[in-house]
């Protein structure tokens, strides 16, 4: 089997990058297993408790980059007790003890302490990238340690973390010699930042391509930063509070004119008044727009902005865009592939979008394949139309704010509607359902959803039969989330 | 979600080939027929990392299993001041831990005060971080331009009205929750300032929350409405008039502690960060 020396095989394996493919390669034969394991640099662990750090180190001595996921998805919604676990410290401690050359760490839903961040910053000389998504347990002191000690830091990306803010001086901790930053995202931080330090940091980071600011960065600083970083590809605006007649605003327009590379826009964490015409300049090149944290942007100004975004592929928005606004999206954004519509006021229970917006999107956007839609109501007729319009859905997640609400017109369960979706969308991999649903919908899913890998169910079904249909039918199912379904659970 | 139903996401053989009894990821069901030694039993459930299973092998070995958590196990998010106090007094240890747990939890409890759709735990399924931001953004929006805030409210109401969805004015209003602490009381409360239009109702609500135990007894003795009004007026002045043991103060945007009641209500709500019911003896030095 082995006609090639190991080095050749290793070289060939370098071209195999996806985790699944590398796992397959490693199972061909023992020599291939050995070569693949010793040469693998990027490891993905979908459940931090599925394997011990020692075992990972033993198998992949050349590990440089690791992604770890901790708590289950339901933890995002406070459905998992806070003492569940998902601590990363044992991993870092093991890596440090074994002198691993760790360069990249990506964590999702894990608990990471300041001590751990400090350990990372001191133990790995070539540490380059820290990405934390939905993590907790740390403060800005930990960030200060990373900033101070990681001399070659390229990426510090904090997405939606719960960070204790000690009125950060952490930004000032980046030494003057640190010029390697490519990506900095601190949009989730609640406190103030040292604005002068931020400006200086941007000025000495020629490779900076992605910058997402938090709410404490005002417009005049934004404008100065943009002047220094015209090559930005991804921009997260912090605070957008301004006077449209002011000098600052004019300077912002000038700065934005120079930013010809921006493809992704987000933020606007505070926006008043709404005048966004300064950004109309960069809209035509945008492929990704995230206004889901910007309730201050809605109505006419929002629609005007969207109309300029002809190349948009990904849109995250609040439901205050309304069905009307979604119709504008459908008519303007023909390249749209993914959309997420979040409720702007989840506690009120009144979403401003309905089945009308969903149907408009499905008919107007031929490339749309991934949707997360929080809405007020849904009908079977609408879902059937959507299924007919858009058989290319791979991810379909529908959340009706009243979780057991039936068809808004006929008062029937939504079984037929979801049935149509799974029947028509042959490539569907992920499905989340809500509304009034009986066992029938599981019958449909079991029959038709052959590619389904992940499903989330809440308040659905009548008996265990529903679950049986599902589990017997969906051969590729990997992840199942259930809550509040009337199942006896004895047979499973 | 990555909760160990099938031993880990797309890292196929990385996870599965090395899952052994020590790793013990997945939970067996409560079926009494126990599995063979060394065989994994896959079952439904949120994997509970906590206790014994993940710290290496325990003596219980393959008989470890976990119950599926339901909403009953988690702190009741059905809010109204009385139910949250009931929860804390009668809860089991785990519930108390969960309630006292992360900041996230506490805030979302407060934020879901008094609204039907959110009396269900973890619904709608929105990340806690996003929920947090919504509540805080509602607060900061009040501090920014008032007119744009009103326009937005009207716009939302208008849009929603166009869709023939039932609204009423209270539903279109956003909440403005601030913390309230009282000297001598360990556990604080939260109050929605936007649910009140003036100082009097706010003071009354706070008195109900904090001082009810002392005034209730007096209240029941009196039967006439006239007396009740007198008592109400008296109670009003307890916190606002400065004639009692406690005085109501607030921390403003600049971090200064000020006496409640001096400025117009609107100005107050736009600059308040949190409230404190302070002992009058400590409050000397405050004031105009």
């Amino acid at each position: 089997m082995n006609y090639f020396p190991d080095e050749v095989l290793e070289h060939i394996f370098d071209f195999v990058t996806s985790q699944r493919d590398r796992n397959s390669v490693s199972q061909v034969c023992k020599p291939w297993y050995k070569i693949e394991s010793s040469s693998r640099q990027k490891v993905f662990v979908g459940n931090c408790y599925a394997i011990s750090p020692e075992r990972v180190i033993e198998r992949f001595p050349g590990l440089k980059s690791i992604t770890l996921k901790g708590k289950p998805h339901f933890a995002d919604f406070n459905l998992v007790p806070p003492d569940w676990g998902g601590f990363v410290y044992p991993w870092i401690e093991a890596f440090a003890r074994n002198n691993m050359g760790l360069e990249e760490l990506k964590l999702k839903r894990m608990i990471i302490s300041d001590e751990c961040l400090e350990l990372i910053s001191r133990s790995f000389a070539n540490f380059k990238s820290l990405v934390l998504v939905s993590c907790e347990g740390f403060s800005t002191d930990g960030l200060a340690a990373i900033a101070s000690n990681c001399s070659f830091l390229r990426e510090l990306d904090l997405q939606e973390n719960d960070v204790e803010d000690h009125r950060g001086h952490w930004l000032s901790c980046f030494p003057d010699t640190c010029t390697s930053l490519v990506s900095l995202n601190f949009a989730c931080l609640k406190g103030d930042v040292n604005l002068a330090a931020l400006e200086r940091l941007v000025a000495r980071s020629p490779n900076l391509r992605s910058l997402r600011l938090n709410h404490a960065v005002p417009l005049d600083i934004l404008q100065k930063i943009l002047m220094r970083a015209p090559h930005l590809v991804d921009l997260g605006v912090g605070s957008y509070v301004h006077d449209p007649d002011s000098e600052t605003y004019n300077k912002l327009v000038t700065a934005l004119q120079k930013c010809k590379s921006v493809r992704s826009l987000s933020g606007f964490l505070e926006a008043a008044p709404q005048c966004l015409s300064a950004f109309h300049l960069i809209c035509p090149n945008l492929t990704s727009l995230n206004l889901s944290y910007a309730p201050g942007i809605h109505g006419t100004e929002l629609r005007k902005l969207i109309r300029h975004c002809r190349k948009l592929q990904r849109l995250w928005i609040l439901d205050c865009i309304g069905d009307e606004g979604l119709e504008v999206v459908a008519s303007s954004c023909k390249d749209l592939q993914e959309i997420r519509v979040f409720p702007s006021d989840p506690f009120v229970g009144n979403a401003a979008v309905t089945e009308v917006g969903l149907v408009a999107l499905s008919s107007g956007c031929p490339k749309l394949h991934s949707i997360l839609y929080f809405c007020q109501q849904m009908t079977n007729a609408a879902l059937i139309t959507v299924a007919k319009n858009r058989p290319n859905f791979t991810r379909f997640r529908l959340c009706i704010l009243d979780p057991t609400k039936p068809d808004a017109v006929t008062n029937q369960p939504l079984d037929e509607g979801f049935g149509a979706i799974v029947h028509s969308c042959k490539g569907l991999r992920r499905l989340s359902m809500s509304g009034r649903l009986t066992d029938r919908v599981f019958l449909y899913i079991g029959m038709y959803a052959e590619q389904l890998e992940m499903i989330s169910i809440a308040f659905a079904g009548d008996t265990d039969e529903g679950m049986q249909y599902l589990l017997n039918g969906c051969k590729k199912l990997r992840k199942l989330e259930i809550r509040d379904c009337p199942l006896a659970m004895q047979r499973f | 979600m990555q909760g160990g139903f099938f031993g880990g996401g797309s890292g196929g053989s990385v996870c599965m080939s090395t899952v052994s009894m020590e790793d013990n990821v997945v939970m067996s069901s409560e079926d009494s027929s126990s599995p063979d030694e060394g065989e994994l039993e896959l079952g439904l459930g949120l994997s509970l990392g906590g206790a014994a299973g993940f710290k290496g092998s325990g003596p219980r070995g393959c008989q470890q299993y976990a119950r599926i958590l339901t909403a009953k196990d988690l702190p009741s998010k059905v809010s109204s001041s009385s139910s949250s106090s009931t929860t804390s007094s009668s809860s089991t240890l785990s519930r108390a831990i969960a309630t006292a747990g992360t900041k996230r939890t506490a805030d979302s409890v407060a934020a879901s005060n008094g609204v039907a759709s959110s009396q269900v735990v973890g619904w709608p399924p929105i990340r806690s971080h996003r929920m947090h931001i919504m509540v805080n953004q509602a607060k900061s929006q009040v501090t920014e331009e008032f007119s744009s805030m009103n326009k937005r409210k009207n716009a939302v109401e208008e849009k929603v009205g166009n869709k023939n969805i039932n609204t009423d004015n209270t539903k279109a209003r956003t909440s403005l929750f601030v913390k309230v602490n009282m000297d001598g009381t360990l556990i604080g409360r939260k109050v929605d300032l936007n649910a009140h239009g003036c100082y009097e109702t706010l003071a009354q609500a706070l008195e109900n929350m904090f001082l009810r135990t002392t005034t209730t007894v007096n209240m029941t003795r009196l039967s006439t409405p006239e007396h009740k009004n007198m008592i109400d007026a008296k109670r009003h002045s307890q916190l606002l008039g400065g004639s009692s043991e406690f005085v109501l103060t607030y921390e403003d945007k600049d971090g200064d502690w000020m006496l409640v009641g001096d400025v117009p209500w609107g100005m107050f709500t736009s600059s308040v960060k949190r409230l404190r019911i302070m002992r009058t003896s400590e409050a000397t030095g405050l004031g105009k």
Side-chain angles (χ1 to χ4, degrees), chain A residues 219-237:
Chain A
L219 202 78
D220 56 324
I221 304 291
L222 171 68
Q223 165 262 336
K224 289 186 196 156
I225 286 174
L226 288 176
M227 290 300 286
R228 296 207 195 257
H231 301 297
L232 277 182
V233 170
D234 170 23
L235 173 64
V237 173

Side-chain angles (χ1 to χ4, degrees), chain B residues 258-270:
Chain B
M258 312 294 290
L259 196 66
V260 166
D262 289 333
V263 298
W265 175 257
M267 203 186 293
F268 165 68
T269 54
S270 71

Side-chain angles (χ1 to χ4, degrees), chain A residues 23 46-47 69 73 76-78 84 109 160 269 292-293 295 298 347-348 401 454 478-481 483, chain B residues 1-2 4-6 12-14 18 44 47 49-50 108 115 121-123 126-128 130 137 152 171:
Chain A
N23 290 339
N47 180 331
K69 293 191 181 180
H73 179 229
D76 282 344
F77 321 131
N78 287 333
W84 184 92
R109 279 185 223 110
E160 299 186 320
L269 308 173
S292 63
Y293 286 106
H298 51 274
F347 308 120
V348 163
L401 284 186
M454 178 168 175
R478 285 188 302 117
K479 296 184 187 176
L480 171 60
E481 295 182 316
R483 57 157 304 169
Chain B
M1 52 42 302
Q2 289 73 38
F5 292 109
F6 299 94
S13 71
V14 176
T18 55
L44 295 174
S47 60
S108 59
V115 184
V121 174
W123 191 271
I126 300 172
R127 262 187 195 165
S128 313
R130 191 176 282 279
Q137 273 180 331
R152 179 169 79 88
K171 285 189 179 178

